[in-house]
């Protein structure tokens, strides 16, 4: 009897085994990804492989329906999950379940100088993407801030390659920990919007490697990004979406990138280069950036039928196709078909809290005479809030990063909540037009009457909060065009002058992703740089202004006094914006503070600068030794003391200079930073590490990084313009 049961049970087991064996390896979530990729690839037809490589709708591409391999759904990015759009058009699909949390724009994140918040940001936005069933989040953006005119600077992380690198890595890790691929963009040299679709950028190899590539390299090698987006512009006469040097040589060969190269929307221009030069997934062809719509013949995409035909005719090696398909399958197995993929959540209280925290820490206090701030609730009976940005939505517009949000606390909302509605009078003061893509739309309101009403409000108030800056209209902080000047738009300078005539007690709060000129700077006692803060904008601003939160943000880019002081603008048109065909980055490696310091030009506000309501002292800087070999790590130590009476945080910054070198080097380059939180009166010891290898310059002769033996000067400070201590160390042969 026993043996019969065993036999039957045994047959059952072998049947189960047989059934299990029938399951192809690619479906087995416990198998290594590479095995799953090869398993799927081995049973796919050429047609199926090709169909992975191009879009099927505005934001999605095909999977392999026959095999149950799901589609790839992408979505912008980078500071909120964009609403659903129509299948073939940019227009919203009017779903009612897709209003997201808006997180602060990436300039604000970068201004926190706090990589832990970057991780929180990545996880939170990753969860929102996951809840909405997205495979790929189209962000973060890490193009270097080269000119204050670039309409898209607000989507990026500032002017410094080291800061961008340190901030981008945790963002990617956070997003991908939720099983959503980050898509780092725009690779590379998309540093302006003017003529972005065709301008041919050239620059020295040194500037390329030292300034424009490091954040991408960190994103790939440390962040392990699963996808990257090519840029619209050309680099050395080849479009970046199919640029052999950038994609095949640098990204895939030198950096070992194993993810998917996604084209920017409409950034592909021919089949041959798309097939051979490292592009994997073609999106948005026959669309002009954000503007055109229509019924596109997806099958006619460059990587669709023309590519298939080329393969069948033997023009393209099947290995090219296999490589693309392999990368796309890998992305799918890493995301939608991975084991234990978290479920995500959408507009959760935790996301609001994260957005508020990041906003609070990113806000930068630029000027604070006579301790204007904090303005404690109850201090004034009558506060005039003036300026359109106090009440206008700043999450709508700006191009592809425009968001449909579940809620947005405006600065006015936040101030009313903090100070009470009986104490606040609001006046618009100036008005821009509506946000219409592709053109400037003036306001229909009468500017003189707006000024008159605002002046009246200011005259009768004890204090004025002017809330202005730029907005997301075309030719402001908006994709597809650059700003026309560095000035504040919509008559704000005149308005501030008019207000000053009746009330000198004015704080200027600037909401923007770019530096603006400040002709009134010496006449106002307080200035705040408030970025685009997302859903929690008003709450976070009010927290800082009222002193509930002590500001600790630092500028991630320099504010020049005037446009001509900025490096990109110092060499005429060929440097910026180019002659409409070509452009050469003549300032070379001297971008941002590297330029200001080396050329001894005083910026309005320096990179790394930002005030606090308390004060800090940096103790003596010491290193573990004085002579290092090239493969060692320099360990430095110093103390920070909060010498004021309020808890707060200081961003300690370590810059390095190589005074004697065969090539000219910037006076300062950021190599380490740490944000230190200190209670009033508290002292903490801080340690930082710098690899000697990171002191190298890119040697164009050797086509490699090079450190020349000799002395280096470590410079410790709390902004690029405020160095309190220097320490010499020596690197030996
Ligand atoms: C932008 C990308 C964006 C894509 C999809 C393009 O115009 O340059 O950053 O992800 O559109 O919206």
């Amino acid at each position: 009897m026993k043996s019969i049961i065993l036999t039957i049970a045994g047959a059952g087991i072998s049947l189960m085994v047989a059934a299990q064996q029938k399951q192809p390896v690619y479906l087995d979530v416990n198998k290594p990804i590479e095995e799953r990729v090869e398993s799927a690839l081995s049973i796919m037809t050429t047609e199926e492989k090709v169909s992975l490589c191009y879009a099927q709708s505005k934001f999605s591409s095909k999977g392999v329906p026959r095999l149950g391999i799901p589609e790839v759904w992408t979505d912008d990015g980078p500071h909120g999950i964009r609403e659903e759009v129509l299948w073939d058009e940019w227009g919203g699909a009017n779903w009612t379940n897709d209003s997201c949390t808006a997180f602060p724009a990436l300039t604000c994140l970068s201004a926190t100088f706090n990589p832990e918040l970057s991780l929180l940001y990545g996880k939170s936005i990753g969860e929102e993407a996951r809840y909405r069933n997205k495979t790929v989040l189209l962000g973060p953006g890490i193009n270097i801030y080269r000119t204050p005119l670039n309409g898209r600077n607000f989507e990026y992380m500032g002017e410094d390659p080291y800061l961008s690198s340190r901030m981008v890595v945790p963002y990617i890790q956070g997003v991908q920990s939720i099983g959503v691929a980050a898509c780092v963009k725009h690779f590379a040299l998309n540093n302006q919007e003017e003529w972005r679709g065709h301008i041919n950028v050239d620059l020295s190899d040194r500037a390329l490697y030292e300034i424009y590539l490091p954040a991408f390299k960190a994103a790939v090698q440390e962040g392990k990004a699963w996808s990257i987006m090519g840029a619209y512009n050309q680099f050395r006469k080849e479009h970046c979406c199919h640029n052999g040097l950038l994609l095949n040589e640098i990204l895939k060969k030198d950096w070992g990138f194993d993810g998917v190269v996604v084209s920017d929307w409409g950034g592909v221009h021919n089949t041959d280069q798309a097939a051979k030069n490292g592009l994997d997934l073609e999106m948005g062809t026959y669309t002009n950036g954000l503007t055109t719509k229509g019924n596109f013949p997806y099958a006619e995409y460059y990587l669709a039928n023309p590519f298939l035909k080329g393969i069948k005719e033997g023009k393209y090696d099947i290995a090219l196709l296999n490589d693309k398909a392999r990368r796309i399958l890998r992305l799918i197995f890493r995301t939608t078909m991975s084991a234990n993929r978290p479920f995500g959540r959408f507009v959760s209280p935790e996301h609001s809290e994260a957005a508020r925290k990041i906003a609070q820490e990113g806000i930068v206090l630029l000027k604070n005479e006579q301790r204007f701030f904090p303005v404690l609730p109850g201090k004034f009976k009558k506060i005039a809030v003036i300026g359109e940005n106090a009440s206008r939505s700043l999450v709508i517009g700006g191009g592809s990063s425009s968001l449909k949000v579940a809620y947005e606390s405006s600065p006015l909302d936040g101030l009313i909540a903090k100070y009470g509605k009986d104490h606040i009078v609001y006046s618009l003061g100036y008005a821009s037009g509506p946000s219409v893509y592709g053109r400037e739309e003036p306001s229909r309101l009468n500017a003189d009457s707006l000024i008159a009403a605002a002046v009246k409000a200011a005259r009768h108030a004890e204090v004025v909060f002017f809330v202005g800056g730029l907005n997301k209209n075309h030719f402001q902080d908006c994709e597809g065009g650059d700003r026309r000047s560095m000035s504040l738009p919509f008559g704000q300078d005149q308005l501030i002058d008019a207000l000053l005539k009746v009330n000198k007690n004015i704080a200027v709060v600037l909401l923007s992703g770019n530096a603006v000129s400040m002709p009134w700077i010496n006449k106002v006692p307080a200035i705040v740089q408030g970025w685009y803060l997302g859903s929690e904008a008003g709450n976070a601003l009010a927290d800082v202004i009222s002193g509930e939160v002590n500001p600790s943000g630092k500028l991630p880019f320099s504010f020049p006094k005037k446009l001509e002081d900025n490096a990109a603008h110092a060499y005429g048109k060929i440097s910026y914006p180019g002659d409409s065909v070509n452009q050469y980055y003549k300032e070379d490696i001297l971008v941002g503070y590297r330029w200001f310091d080396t050329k001894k030009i005083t910026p309005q506000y320096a990179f790394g600068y930002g005030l606090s309501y308390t004060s800090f002292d940096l103790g003596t800087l010491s290193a573990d030794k004085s002579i290092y070999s090239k493969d060692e790590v320099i360990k430095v130590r110093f103390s920070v003391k909060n010498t004021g009476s309020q808890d707060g945080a200081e961003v300690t910054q370590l810059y390095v200079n190589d005074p004697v070198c065969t090539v000219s080097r910037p006076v300062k380059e950021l190599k380490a930073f740490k944000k230190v939180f200190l209670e009033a009166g508290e002292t903490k010891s801080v340690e930082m590490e710098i690899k000697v290898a990171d002191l190298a310059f890119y040697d164009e002769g050797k086509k490699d990084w090079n450190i020349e033996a000799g002395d280096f000067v470590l410079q410790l400070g709390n902004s690029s313009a405020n160095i309190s201590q220097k320490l010499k160390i020596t690197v030996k042969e």
Side-chain angles (χ1 to χ4, degrees):
M1 188 63 183
K2 245 184 187 175
S3 73
I4 296 173
I5 292 172
L6 273 179
T7 321
I8 295 170
I13 288 167
S14 57
L15 269 177
M16 265 163 61
V17 170
Q20 269 169 11
Q21 274 170 352
K22 272 200 191 128
Q23 168 171 295
V25 171
Y26 77 88
L27 287 176
D28 185 346
V29 292
N30 298 313
K31 282 275 179 337
I33 283 185
E34 294 311 307
E35 271 181 45
R36 299 176 68 195
V37 168
E38 293 312 317
S39 149
L41 203 64
S42 69
I43 51 175
M44 281 166 64
T45 65
T46 303
E47 283 75 6
E48 283 170 337
K49 291 178 192 170
V50 171
S51 72
L52 288 180
C53 302
Y54 62 94
Q56 63 166 3
S57 78
K58 199 55 129 183
F59 279 94
S60 73
S61 61
K62 283 203 178 85
V64 190
R66 177 178 67 91
L67 301 178
I69 295 176
E71 300 164 343
V72 171
W73 279 87
T74 70
D75 206 27
D76 290 298
H79 44 251
I81 305 305
R82 184 177 181 165
E83 70 179 313
E84 302 300 326
V85 301
L86 296 168
W87 188 261
D88 272 336
E89 298 175 22
W90 292 106
N94 292 329
W95 289 22
T96 52
N97 61 349
D98 57 350
S99 302
C100 69
T101 308
F103 296 92
L106 296 195
T107 35
C108 174
L109 174 63
S110 204
T112 67
F113 275 68
N114 186 346
E116 279 172 29
L117 287 188
S118 207
L119 183 66
L120 174 68
Y121 193 123
K123 276 190 183 153
S124 309
I125 196 170
E127 286 180 342
E128 298 239 334
R130 171 67 186 96
Y131 187 84
R132 293 260 306 278
N133 279 321
K134 303 303 173 191
T135 328
V136 179
L137 170 73
L138 302 174
I142 45 171
N143 293 92
I144 289 290
Y145 188 111
R146 178 172 180 257
T147 157
L149 300 190
N150 178 14
R152 266 188 118 169
N153 278 335
F154 74 98
E155 288 189 62
Y156 304 141
M157 294 188 175
E159 72 186 23
D160 185 67
Y162 180 76
L163 174 64
S164 304
S165 303
R166 295 312 12 112
M167 297 305 285
V168 75
V169 168
Y171 181 116
I172 296 165
Q173 290 167 336
V175 170
Q176 296 189 166
S177 71
I178 311 298
V180 173
C183 185
V184 184
K185 64 195 191 183
H186 308 87
F187 190 62
L189 301 161
N190 185 180
N191 306 103
Q192 68 189 45
E193 290 297 288
E194 187 81 6
W195 300 318
R196 69 172 179 178
H198 65 267
I199 191 80
N200 173 44
V201 179
D202 207 349
L203 73 173
S204 72
D205 274 350
R206 202 174 153 208
L208 178 70
Y209 281 94
E210 289 188 24
I211 305 293
Y212 296 97
L213 294 186
F216 286 105
K217 186 179 182 189
V220 167
Q221 293 193 329
E222 295 174 59
K224 309 243 177 280
W226 292 334
S227 66
I228 195 167
M229 187 189 292
Y232 279 131
N233 50 286
Q234 302 189 57
F235 164 55
R236 296 191 184 149
K237 304 242 156 78
E238 230 170 42
H239 274 97
C240 294
C241 289
H242 34 68
N243 186 298
L245 174 57
L246 283 177
L247 303 178
N248 280 339
E249 293 302 311
I250 296 176
L251 177 67
K252 290 185 173 173
K253 193 163 130 253
D254 297 348
W255 299 350
F257 176 66
D258 67 0
V260 176
V261 175
V262 182
S263 76
D264 201 343
W265 270 234
V268 181
H269 300 268
N270 73 68
T271 297
D272 216 47
Q273 290 178 329
K276 293 178 184 161
N277 289 353
L279 177 71
D280 302 308
L281 176 56
E282 179 185 3
M283 300 299 294
T285 299
Y286 308 126
T287 73
N288 159 23
L290 286 171
T291 46
T292 42
K293 63 178 188 109
N295 287 311
F296 308 121
Y298 293 101
E300 291 312 313
Y301 270 35
Y302 298 105
L303 281 186
N305 286 345
F307 183 40
L308 180 63
K309 184 163 172 276
I311 292 164
K312 293 217 157 141
E313 288 168 355
K315 189 172 171 200
Y316 304 122
D317 196 330
I318 191 79
L320 281 175
L321 173 62
N322 284 339
D323 180 56
K324 295 182 203 303
R326 211 173 251 130
R327 288 168 182 274
I328 294 162
L329 289 170
R330 190 177 290 134
L331 182 137
I332 295 170
F333 292 135
R334 281 171 164 166
T335 54
T336 18
M337 289 183 85
S338 75
N340 306 323
R341 192 183 188 211
F343 294 111
R345 48 188 165 173
F346 198 51
V347 200
S348 71
E350 289 81 2
H351 293 174
S352 300
E353 209 179 295
R356 185 161 177 169
K357 175 111 190 64
I358 294 157
Q360 290 168 340
E361 269 198 43
I363 291 168
V364 183
L365 180 62
L366 293 176
K367 183 172 180 182
N368 199 23
E369 272 178 7
Q370 300 131 32
R371 293 187 170 264
F372 183 102
F373 286 128
V375 173
L376 303 182
K379 183 172 175 190
F380 297 112
K381 291 210 168 53
K382 212 158 182 201
I383 302 172
V385 176
I386 293 169
E388 191 187 59
N389 277 355
S391 61
R392 182 189 174 90
S393 170
L394 292 169
V395 297
I396 297 170
S400 58
S401 62
S402 181
L403 295 174
K404 178 167 129 192
V405 289
Y407 73 96
E408 181 182 11
S409 136
S410 71
L412 186 59
D413 296 337
L415 293 170
I416 288 176
K418 197 67 80 182
Y419 296 102
K421 73 174 180 345
D422 296 342
H423 300 295
I424 298 230
V425 194
Y426 177 60
S427 186
L428 196 59
Y430 73 93
S432 64
S435 171
V436 181
Y437 193 76
R439 59 176 202 273
E440 275 173 297
E441 191 79 12
S443 164
R444 296 219 181 107
L445 299 178
N446 180 288
D448 293 337
S449 337
L450 290 177
I451 292 183
V455 164
K456 193 170 161 205
R459 182 178 285 128
H460 296 110
E462 290 155 89
V463 67
V464 179
F465 296 156
F466 174 78
V467 186
L470 306 176
N471 64 26
K472 302 285 188 63
N473 280 9
H474 203 64
F475 298 129
Q476 300 297 319
D477 281 327
C478 180
E479 184 177 344
D482 281 352
R483 295 166 68 198
R484 293 316 195 214
S485 83
M486 220 182 94
S487 300
L488 278 177
F490 321 122
Q492 292 176 75
D493 288 339
Q494 295 86 314
L495 171 62
I496 294 172
D497 276 344
L499 297 175
L500 278 164
K501 288 200 181 107
V502 298
N503 194 332
K504 302 245 174 293
N505 211 18
I506 297 185
V508 174
V509 178
L510 295 169
L511 304 183
S512 74
N514 259 317
V516 300
S517 51
M518 305 179 184
W520 30 260
I521 189 168
N522 296 323
K523 297 187 214 149
V524 301
I527 306 173
V528 172
Q529 175 58 38
W531 316 116
Y532 295 115
L533 298 174
S535 287
E536 288 289 331
N539 294 332
L541 258 176
D543 291 341
V544 169
I545 283 176
S546 67
E548 207 170 298
V549 167
N550 192 349
S552 62
K554 300 278 181 174
L555 292 181
F557 51 83
S558 319
F559 277 48
K561 285 189 173 153
K562 52 186 190 306
L563 192 59
E564 306 80 71
D565 289 351
N566 170 280
H569 297 271
Y571 293 99
K573 282 210 152 164
I574 193 63
S575 192
Y576 176 87
D579 64 5
S580 90
V581 179
N582 294 302
Q583 176 179 26
Y584 197 88
Y585 289 4
K586 286 198 156 185
E587 74 283 8
D588 203 50
I589 54 159
L590 297 182
V591 175
Y593 65 90
R594 287 165 167 79
W595 169 263
F596 287 100
D597 286 349
T598 310
K599 297 289 175 184
K600 299 196 168 60
I601 299 169
T602 310
Q604 190 72 72
Y605 290 112
F607 171 84
Y609 168 83
L611 300 171
S612 164
Y613 297 151
T614 185
S615 50
F616 302 94
D617 246 4
L618 301 184
T620 312
L621 175 67
S622 66
D624 56 335
K625 50 188 193 167
S626 56
I627 302 177
Y628 297 85
S629 53
K630 291 181 180 173
D631 56 0
E632 283 185 297
V633 174
I634 307 165
K635 293 185 182 144
V636 301
R637 187 189 282 261
F638 56 90
S639 63
V640 200
K641 180 169 190 196
N642 181 344
T643 51
S645 54
Q646 217 178 320
D647 301 351
E650 178 63 302
V651 178
T652 56
Q653 304 163 37
L654 196 70
Y655 297 83
V656 178
N657 173 234
D658 181 3
V660 183
C661 183
T662 45
V663 297
S664 64
R665 304 203 61 178
V667 170
K668 265 174 231 133
E669 291 182 84
L670 185 68
K671 294 293 171 188
F673 62 84
K674 204 164 256 177
K675 189 164 198 171
V676 191
F677 293 82
L678 297 153
E679 287 174 12
E682 195 188 6
T683 304
K684 273 187 187 164
S685 168
V686 181
E687 282 172 32
M688 289 180 177
E689 295 193 347
I690 304 175
K691 286 189 197 136
V692 173
D694 289 343
L695 305 184
F697 64 95
Y698 187 81
D699 188 327
E700 300 193 328
K702 291 188 173 170
K703 294 206 174 306
D704 202 357
W705 294 89
N706 187 3
I707 322 164
E708 291 174 357
D711 292 345
F712 289 79
V713 185
L714 311 181
Q715 309 167 71
L716 178 68
N718 68 352
S719 96
S720 63
N722 188 27
I723 299 299
S724 51
Q725 287 178 68
K726 293 187 180 177
L727 179 70
K728 197 182 78 184
I729 56 116
T730 306
V731 173
K732 62 183 183 198
E733 272 310 333

